[in-house]
Amino acid sequence: MAVITISREFGAGGRTLGERLANRLNYRYINEEMIKEVAKKANVSPEGVYAFEKSGGSKLMKFLDKLVRMDYLDRILQTDTGYLDANRYVQLISDLINEIYEAGNAVIIGRGGQYILQHKSHAYHVGLVACYQFRCEFVMEKHGCSHEVAERAIQRADQERANFLGCFTQAGQCEYDNPHLYHVVINTSKTGMQVAEDLVVATMESAEAQS
C-alpha cells in the first residue's frame, strides 16, 4: 500500500493531477477534508484552520468570526487571518497524515505531506511547478476569471505557500521547499497533465518493484 503526496505551485495543476492519479490507481483523494479533521481535533472552526494555513509563519492570528461560504479562488484572494499556534498545527496535521499513511492507498494534496512522510517507505513525493504564463492560463480556465485576477491569486498563493511551509521549517523538519524532498519534480507547462500522470505512476511502480 503506497501514498503519494503532491506539493505544487498554485496553477501548476496539483489538484487535477491528484484527482487523475486517485482515479487511475483507485486511491483515496485527500485534500481540503483534512482542514475539517484538524479543526475537529483542535476544537476550532474550519475557517480558522484555513486562515491559519494562509498565514502559517505567524505564531498567533485572529480567527474568522463568521462562517463564510466562498469558492477556492475567493479564499485565496481574501485577506482575513486567524489564530493558531504553528507547533500545534504541525502536530495535528502530522498525526492526521500519518493516520492516512498507515491506511495506505491515498493521494495527499499539500499540507506538508512531503515533510511529514519524508522518511517513510512507500510514500512517494511529487513536486509540481510550471511557468508563470501557464499558471495564469490554467487558473483563468479553471476558475473562469480574468488574467488580472489570476495574477493576483498566483502572487498571493505563492506568498502563502512560503508562509505555510515555513511552519515545517520552524518545527525543524527541513529547509523550505528543498527539492531533495521529492522523488520527482515535474514542470507541467513542459510535460502536460498526461505525461505528468504517467511519470508519477512509473516512478512509484519502479520504486515499489525495487523495495
Side-chain angles (χ1 to χ4, degrees), residues 101-142:
Y101 169 78
E102 291 299 330
N105 292 357
V107 179
I108 301 172
I109 306 298
R111 302 303 180 303
Q114 73 274 31
Y115 293 92
I116 296 163
L117 301 179
Q118 61 180 297
H119 300 303
K120 298 287 190 179
S121 60
H122 309 291
Y124 302 99
H125 309 300
V126 179
L128 290 191
V129 299
C131 72
Y132 189 77
Q133 185 57 37
F134 177 92
R135 295 167 68 194
C136 284
E137 292 173 358
F138 186 91
V139 172
M140 290 167 63
E141 180 179 353
K142 192 78 172 178

Side-chain angles (χ1 to χ4, degrees), residues 16-165:
T16 300
L17 179 61
E19 290 172 348
R20 291 176 64 130
L21 288 168
N23 289 333
R24 177 167 172 172
L25 300 169
N26 197 27
Y27 279 14
R28 291 177 298 152
Y29 174 75
I30 310 293
N31 191 13
E32 292 191 349
E33 58 267 34
M34 280 197 287
I35 291 176
K36 296 179 181 178
E37 290 298 319
V38 169
K40 182 178 179 180
K41 290 177 182 292
N43 195 29
V44 299
S45 72
E47 286 72 21
V49 176
Y50 186 85
F52 169 76
E53 291 187 347
K54 285 163 65 65
S55 305
S58 300
K59 290 288 185 180
L60 293 176
M61 292 159 284
K62 186 185 69 169
F63 274 129
L64 295 175
D65 293 327
K66 298 180 180 179
L67 301 180
V68 181
R69 293 178 60 87
M70 59 185 76
D71 66 24
Y72 183 68
L73 199 61
D74 288 336
R75 284 185 287 139
I76 282 289
L77 290 171
Q78 68 101 340
T79 58
D80 290 339
T81 57
Y83 269 137
L84 197 63
D85 177 83
N87 290 331
R88 174 66 170 155
Y89 174 84
V90 169
Q91 186 59 58
L92 288 170
I93 203 69
S94 295
D95 290 346
L96 182 57
I97 287 179
N98 275 296
E99 288 176 11
I100 295 167
Y101 169 78
E102 291 299 330
N105 292 357
V107 179
I108 301 172
I109 306 298
R111 302 303 180 303
Q114 73 274 31
Y115 293 92
I116 296 163
L117 301 179
Q118 61 180 297
H119 300 303
K120 298 287 190 179
S121 60
H122 309 291
Y124 302 99
H125 309 300
V126 179
L128 290 191
V129 299
C131 72
Y132 189 77
Q133 185 57 37
F134 177 92
R135 295 167 68 194
C136 284
E137 292 173 358
F138 186 91
V139 172
M140 290 167 63
E141 180 179 353
K142 192 78 172 178
H143 299 283
C145 65
S146 68
H147 192 276
E148 179 183 1
V149 170
E151 285 190 318
R152 287 173 52 212
I154 288 169
Q155 291 164 8
R156 179 73 59 79
D158 284 350
Q159 183 58 58
E160 289 166 2
R161 181 170 182 263
N163 291 341
F164 171 72
L165 292 180

